[in-house]
Amino acid sequence: MIFYLLCSALLFTACANNENDTGQTNNTDSAEIENISNQSLVSQQPANHAKELLSKHEEITAINAVNTKDNILIAVEVEHHERFTLAQLRKKFQKEMEDEFKDMKVEFSTDRKIVLELEKLEKDISNDKLSNKELEKKVKKIVKLAKEQT
């Protein structure tokens, strides 16, 4: 009897503790997004708009997006428990982005490697390390990598 009381007390205290070490409550409702801009390159407004739209989905934890004049590359990370329905989520988000950006070719990925590549590319754009030609080249490379992975 005492064993059951101790187990239930432990269970209740473990479930009730929703604070991390800094004393702040965990907030997993919003995705990590960082808007990018650079005056010398193609406007990244479509990429930033895609991030805003996708950040409304609670399954997404991080979003990276870059665009050229004709293409937009989007990579997202989803919550771990959502990976079982990853194919369905990918189709849903791909369709949503294609409907939103009808005049651009949309490349959408949930692959971790593509997320990392886009993250690096976003930093290079923000730090003004690329020309338009280099941006086009890197985008083509990432698109090719994404196609190989699927």
Side-chain angles (χ1 to χ4, degrees):
M1 181 69 172
I2 294 175
F3 177 73
Y4 292 115
L5 288 174
L6 286 175
C7 287
S8 61
L10 181 63
L11 179 67
F12 288 125
T13 57
C15 291
N17 188 7
N18 193 22
E19 292 186 347
N20 60 19
D21 292 341
T22 61
Q24 298 172 342
T25 58
N26 294 331
N27 185 6
T28 58
D29 291 342
S30 63
E32 292 178 29
I33 62 168
E34 181 178 322
N35 288 335
I36 52 177
S37 67
N38 185 316
Q39 305 305 331
S40 64
L41 291 175
V42 174
S43 170
Q44 295 298 306
Q45 185 58 35
N48 292 334
H49 182 62
K51 289 178 183 183
E52 289 174 21
L53 291 174
L54 289 170
S55 69
K56 296 175 183 169
H57 297 282
E58 61 187 39
E59 306 95 345
I60 297 176
T61 58
I63 307 165
N64 296 93
V66 171
N67 67 278
T68 62
K69 185 176 65 168
D70 301 321
N71 297 325
I72 183 165
L73 274 73
I74 305 165
V76 298
E77 291 182 22
V78 296
E79 292 180 355
H80 186 70
H81 65 276
E82 296 289 344
R83 302 213 46 93
F84 295 113
T85 59
L86 193 58
Q88 294 166 328
L89 289 174
R90 189 181 308 121
K91 281 183 183 178
K92 173 181 147 184
F93 298 144
Q94 170 91 28
K95 174 103 172 79
E96 182 180 336
M97 293 297 102
E98 286 173 348
D99 290 346
E100 184 67 29
F101 301 102
K102 294 181 189 298
D103 57 336
M104 300 178 89
K105 184 169 191 249
V106 176
E107 296 291 336
F108 191 88
S109 179
T110 54
D111 188 339
R112 179 73 178 140
K113 176 71 175 169
I114 305 303
V115 170
L116 294 173
E117 290 292 325
L118 279 181
E119 193 174 305
K120 277 185 359 187
L121 188 55
E122 281 183 354
K123 285 180 184 173
D124 287 346
I125 291 170
S126 293
N127 294 331
D128 201 17
K129 293 183 177 180
L130 297 173
S131 67
N132 279 331
K133 192 172 187 177
E134 291 171 324
L135 176 63
E136 290 278 347
K137 185 177 176 182
K138 288 195 180 234
V139 165
K140 285 180 183 178
K141 178 184 163 207
I142 294 172
V143 168
K144 183 178 177 186
L145 181 64
K147 299 242 187 246
E148 288 174 1
Q149 305 259 335
T150 56

